Amino acid sequence: MYIRVTSTPNSPRKSVKVVESIREGFKVKQVMIHHVGIASTEEEIAKLKQLGLEFIANEELRREKKSGQLSLLDESSAEERLAALIQKAASPKKRGRKPLIRLAELADNESVELKNLVEEQRVIDGLHEIGGHVFRQLGFDKILSGKKETTLLRDIILMRMANPGSKYKAQRLLANRFARTHDLDAIYRMMDKLFPKIDLIKAKTFQRAKQLLPETIDILFFDCTTLYFESTDTDDLRRFGYSKDHRFNTTQVVLALATNRDGLPLGYELFEGNKAEVSTLLVCLESWKKQFTLGEICFVADRAMMSDANLAALESGGYQYVVAAKLRSLPEDLKSSILSDKQYHATVLDNELTWTGEFSYKNRRLVVSYKNSRAKRDATQREQVLDKISKTLGADGNTQRLITNKGVKKFTKTEKTKTVLNEETIAEDMAWDGLHGVITNRKDASHADMLSRYARLWKIEESFRLNKHTLAMRPIFHFKTERIHAHIAICYMAFALLRHLEYIVSLTQKVSPQVILEELIDVQASILKDTATGKQYRMPGHFSHTASKIYKAFNIGRDRHIKAIITK
């Protein structure tokens, strides 16, 4: 087996396939055994080739197991064999015959009276068939030692993706909608055993991302958020602090997350709720240096991370960075230079005319860009704030009704006993419309490269939206420190699984994580009972075109035939 890249006349797209040579008499022909995907760029082709090599290795390992060659190997030896096969697949191989296909056992041809059939239950199959496959790919089936605990962990993670909520809710829905019964106490015991395995979870997730993209983990997006509790009790972890959810009456924890350019998670850390966001980067950096081999990675972060201590630590560690600059907090002479129009040159970024200029700040490069679309957005947001202020003040300028938000108060001033809009401050704010800056220590990078790297920071912001809303990581109802950590670890595993699902599917079609989940949840089967004989049958339900493509992306087939359920 080997990789073949083919193209179609008059089309820029290329197909990546796994091909095997088959001898028929005196002739040899090539047969496609797996279509990996379609790519438009060299980067996409490289990603598809890596997936093709992994398919070849898994197929060869499956054939060896089937032939009995691996029957004497233990689990770790099998994993080493798979790694060796992946490396072997990347180099030219001898072409051999395609193995003979064995006929499957014939299905029972028994007759059933339709009038006697009743539906006992409808169960969801798609999430376990595809999600369970990715669960194993990520190595999560090697986290806990017991088979029952591993099955329970998988089910809880998939339930977090399908319908997030409390562990009691997960237990109930698993039984009602997935036909998988678990004891609630067993779920909590599993969480207690998961707590000491958190470092292993992080390592497995990092290694899988590195395995998929061995040459492209050169950029790390970093950001923080807060997760609140439905409680005011405090301890060493649960603290009051600045809440990004505007929940000042509840305790919280701080979550720091890192992803690569495709949104695949690379690591996370959990901090006490009053931890300053700017101080989390150094702690994470030290922790990840011990756990992983980071290599030559460029850190990309928002302006909350812009502190001299953070930038100095990245420089001393030999890391590159692109961090948003707080333009309005810069020295006055530098701000005057930025606001002048003498330093800028026109370029095209993301199909939009952009003006860029470079300045020096503390021996670091400061790149400032101006976009007309950003200027319009800034002006619109300011007008909305000013309109709100005017309505709040009223005609008499009542200071008692003034909103206490600092970002709002800066646009007002008090004249005797009346509060009015501060036109001078408004004019100063207008001067910054459309401007955005980044600070970097990259010496040879172009303006376009640095700005495009920072522009992809939206991917990690989307990751937090997935965690907070789709996976409902908060509010947190646990109160024991170990259970809190285990809960975050389960959510992180669910997030990793969802991102890898999205990544693999995106190589052949663009589908959002929410749509992928909806399609997999709609892949269901009915459990039918023959009231005359008492026999049970499983009848697969509707299978949409999009769901079919998702299955095909993972090279997984779905049996569409009605089968009798054998009870022992």
Side-chain angles (χ1 to χ4, degrees), residues 20-23 31-33 63 96-101:
E20 189 170 22
S21 297
I22 304 297
R23 178 177 291 276
V31 178
M32 184 187 74
I33 62 173
R63 293 180 184 182
R97 293 171 178 260
K98 188 175 181 179
L100 296 175
I101 300 175

Side-chain angles (χ1 to χ4, degrees), residues 88-125:
K88 174 186 173 185
S91 59
K93 305 164 294 300
K94 294 181 179 180
R95 300 177 182 178
R97 293 171 178 260
K98 188 175 181 179
L100 296 175
I101 300 175
R102 298 181 180 275
L103 292 177
E105 293 183 2
L106 295 176
D108 295 334
N109 293 321
E110 57 187 71
S111 299
V112 179
E113 289 286 342
L114 292 180
K115 64 179 182 180
N116 295 331
L117 288 178
V118 295
E119 185 181 58
E120 284 196 325
Q121 189 179 17
R122 189 166 299 179
V123 297
I124 297 172
D125 286 341

Side-chain angles (χ1 to χ4, degrees), residues 5-68:
V5 180
T6 60
S7 59
T8 304
N10 302 321
S11 174
R13 301 195 304 171
K14 296 183 178 180
S15 296
V16 179
K17 309 171 183 177
V18 175
V19 180
E20 189 170 22
S21 297
I22 304 297
R23 178 177 291 276
E24 294 183 352
F26 295 100
K27 295 182 179 180
V28 176
K29 68 176 184 178
Q30 283 72 44
V31 178
M32 184 187 74
I33 62 173
H34 177 53
H35 184 268
V36 184
I38 299 176
S40 301
T41 65
E42 291 298 325
E43 182 180 4
E44 291 176 350
I45 292 175
K47 293 177 180 179
L48 290 175
K49 282 184 176 180
Q50 179 64 25
L51 289 174
L53 294 177
E54 186 173 311
F55 171 83
I56 293 174
N58 278 293
E59 179 63 17
E60 291 189 2
L61 185 63
R62 185 189 68 80
R63 293 180 184 182
E64 289 185 11
K65 287 181 177 179
K66 188 175 181 179
S67 64

Side-chain angles (χ1 to χ4, degrees), residues 62-336:
R62 185 189 68 80
R63 293 180 184 182
E64 289 185 11
K65 287 181 177 179
K66 188 175 181 179
S67 64
Q69 296 179 27
L70 293 181
S71 59
L72 299 179
L73 293 180
D74 58 19
E75 192 174 275
S76 61
S77 300
E79 289 184 351
E80 293 174 0
R81 179 61 177 149
L82 177 59
L85 287 171
I86 292 177
Q87 184 176 4
K88 174 186 173 185
S91 59
K93 305 164 294 300
K94 294 181 179 180
R95 300 177 182 178
R97 293 171 178 260
K98 188 175 181 179
L100 296 175
I101 300 175
R102 298 181 180 275
L103 292 177
E105 293 183 2
L106 295 176
D108 295 334
N109 293 321
E110 57 187 71
S111 299
V112 179
E113 289 286 342
L114 292 180
K115 64 179 182 180
N116 295 331
L117 288 178
V118 295
E119 185 181 58
E120 284 196 325
Q121 189 179 17
R122 189 166 299 179
V123 297
I124 297 172
D125 286 341
L127 202 61
H128 275 77
E129 289 178 347
I130 301 299
H133 175 74
V134 180
F135 176 85
R136 293 186 294 274
Q137 283 187 327
L138 285 163
F140 291 162
D141 58 330
K142 303 295 189 292
I143 300 295
L144 300 175
S145 56
K147 184 177 179 181
K148 289 184 178 180
E149 292 168 342
T150 298
T151 301
L152 179 53
L153 174 62
R154 180 203 62 194
D155 290 350
I156 291 298
I157 290 173
L158 296 179
M159 198 65 245
R160 173 63 52 177
M161 296 166 56
N163 199 328
S166 66
K167 303 304 180 290
Y168 171 74
K169 178 182 178 181
Q171 177 213 27
R172 180 169 50 85
L173 291 178
L174 276 168
N176 295 339
R177 301 188 62 189
F178 293 83
R180 298 172 189 273
T181 305
H182 296 289
D183 181 67
L184 186 60
D185 289 335
I187 295 176
Y188 291 124
R189 289 195 297 270
M190 179 272 294
M191 292 180 66
D192 293 337
K193 293 181 180 180
L194 190 66
F195 171 68
K197 304 288 186 178
I198 290 178
D199 286 344
L200 180 59
I201 293 170
K202 296 177 183 178
K204 292 279 187 185
T205 308
F206 179 85
Q207 292 302 326
R208 178 57 181 169
K210 190 174 181 181
Q211 184 182 11
L212 281 177
L213 306 168
E215 303 298 333
T216 56
I217 300 185
D218 59 347
I219 186 169
L220 186 150
F221 295 94
F222 181 90
D223 205 354
C224 290
T225 193
T226 55
L227 306 170
Y228 64 86
F229 296 79
E230 291 292 356
S231 169
T232 57
D233 296 334
T234 61
D235 52 32
D236 292 339
L237 187 60
R238 295 180 294 171
R239 297 281 186 178
F240 287 101
Y242 174 74
S243 171
K244 292 192 175 184
D245 295 305
H246 308 293
R247 298 291 296 260
F248 301 105
N249 58 337
T250 57
T251 54
Q252 65 180 24
V253 291
V254 176
L255 176 69
L257 178 68
T259 71
N260 70 355
R261 67 174 73 239
D262 294 291
L264 300 180
L266 299 177
Y268 81 94
E269 295 295 330
L270 194 64
F271 299 93
E272 57 273 19
N274 60 354
K275 185 77 170 180
E277 186 174 342
V278 70
S279 62
T280 58
L281 178 60
L282 298 181
V283 179
C284 291
L285 184 60
E286 290 302 316
S287 175
W288 293 337
K289 282 167 62 177
K290 296 176 183 177
Q291 296 179 54
F292 322 123
T293 304
L294 293 180
E296 296 182 359
I297 287 181
C298 178
F299 282 78
V300 180
D302 209 343
R303 62 183 181 179
M305 300 300 149
M306 185 190 140
S307 71
D308 287 334
N310 283 345
L311 302 186
L314 291 173
E315 290 168 350
S316 64
Y319 298 108
Q320 297 178 340
Y321 58 81
V322 177
V323 181
K326 301 176 182 178
L327 294 181
R328 304 187 195 196
S329 301
L330 297 174
E332 291 298 326
D333 57 339
L334 184 52
K335 288 198 292 185
S336 298

Side-chain angles (χ1 to χ4, degrees), residues 239-488:
R239 297 281 186 178
F240 287 101
Y242 174 74
S243 171
K244 292 192 175 184
D245 295 305
H246 308 293
R247 298 291 296 260
F248 301 105
N249 58 337
T250 57
T251 54
Q252 65 180 24
V253 291
V254 176
L255 176 69
L257 178 68
T259 71
N260 70 355
R261 67 174 73 239
D262 294 291
L264 300 180
L266 299 177
Y268 81 94
E269 295 295 330
L270 194 64
F271 299 93
E272 57 273 19
N274 60 354
K275 185 77 170 180
E277 186 174 342
V278 70
S279 62
T280 58
L281 178 60
L282 298 181
V283 179
C284 291
L285 184 60
E286 290 302 316
S287 175
W288 293 337
K289 282 167 62 177
K290 296 176 183 177
Q291 296 179 54
F292 322 123
T293 304
L294 293 180
E296 296 182 359
I297 287 181
C298 178
F299 282 78
V300 180
D302 209 343
R303 62 183 181 179
M305 300 300 149
M306 185 190 140
S307 71
D308 287 334
N310 283 345
L311 302 186
L314 291 173
E315 290 168 350
S316 64
Y319 298 108
Q320 297 178 340
Y321 58 81
V322 177
V323 181
K326 301 176 182 178
L327 294 181
R328 304 187 195 196
S329 301
L330 297 174
E332 291 298 326
D333 57 339
L334 184 52
K335 288 198 292 185
S336 298
S337 298
I338 293 172
L339 292 175
S340 69
D341 57 358
K342 300 177 182 179
Q343 307 275 349
Y344 296 88
H345 305 279
T347 184
V348 176
L349 291 175
D350 299 326
N351 298 320
E352 182 179 358
L353 181 64
T354 305
W355 297 87
T356 64
E358 183 170 333
F359 308 86
S360 177
Y361 176 65
K362 295 184 178 181
N363 296 321
R364 299 178 178 115
R365 297 176 68 190
L366 170 63
V367 177
V368 180
S369 65
Y370 172 87
K371 286 185 177 182
N372 189 49
S373 61
R374 187 189 298 131
K376 290 181 179 179
R377 183 175 67 249
D378 293 342
T380 300
Q381 292 175 347
R382 182 176 54 256
E383 287 301 322
Q384 292 173 346
V385 172
L386 295 177
D387 183 62
K388 186 176 183 180
I389 293 175
S390 299
K391 291 180 179 179
T392 303
L393 291 176
D396 57 351
N398 187 353
T399 57
Q400 299 299 321
R401 298 167 62 189
L402 181 63
I403 301 171
T404 57
N405 186 294
K406 291 183 179 179
V408 172
K409 291 178 67 176
K410 71 179 182 179
F411 292 123
T412 63
K413 64 179 180 180
T414 302
E415 296 179 348
K416 296 181 180 180
T417 60
K418 186 177 182 179
T419 300
V420 297
L421 293 176
N422 190 334
E423 298 296 339
E424 182 180 347
T425 304
I426 294 172
E428 291 175 357
D429 191 75
M430 291 174 63
W432 294 97
D433 286 356
L435 291 171
H436 183 268
V438 296
I439 293 177
T440 183
N441 63 342
R442 302 190 71 205
K443 303 298 183 183
D444 55 348
S446 65
H447 294 178
D449 178 58
M450 287 184 292
L451 293 173
S452 63
R453 280 176 179 256
Y454 181 83
R456 289 190 64 85
L457 193 63
W458 67 268
K459 199 69 177 179
I460 196 168
E461 294 171 351
E462 181 197 48
S463 297
F464 281 129
R465 287 195 295 273
L466 283 175
N467 277 303
K468 286 187 171 184
H469 301 290
T470 305
L471 302 178
M473 186 178 282
R474 55 68 169 134
I476 303 173
F477 297 99
H478 300 283
F479 60 90
K480 290 178 59 177
T481 300
E482 293 81 1
R483 294 268 176 90
I484 294 170
H485 279 282
H487 168 77
I488 298 299

Side-chain angles (χ1 to χ4, degrees), residues 470-527:
T470 305
L471 302 178
M473 186 178 282
R474 55 68 169 134
I476 303 173
F477 297 99
H478 300 283
F479 60 90
K480 290 178 59 177
T481 300
E482 293 81 1
R483 294 268 176 90
I484 294 170
H485 279 282
H487 168 77
I488 298 299
I490 289 172
C491 292
Y492 178 71
M493 296 168 81
F495 167 66
L497 203 155
L498 184 57
R499 274 300 196 204
H500 280 266
L501 262 174
E502 178 194 15
Y503 173 76
I504 299 299
V505 173
S506 70
L507 295 177
T508 55
Q509 59 177 330
K510 299 299 180 183
V511 185
S512 70
Q514 290 81 3
V515 172
I516 292 175
L517 289 177
E518 290 171 2
E519 289 290 338
L520 293 180
I521 289 172
D522 284 343
V523 178
Q524 302 178 5
S526 293
I527 306 301

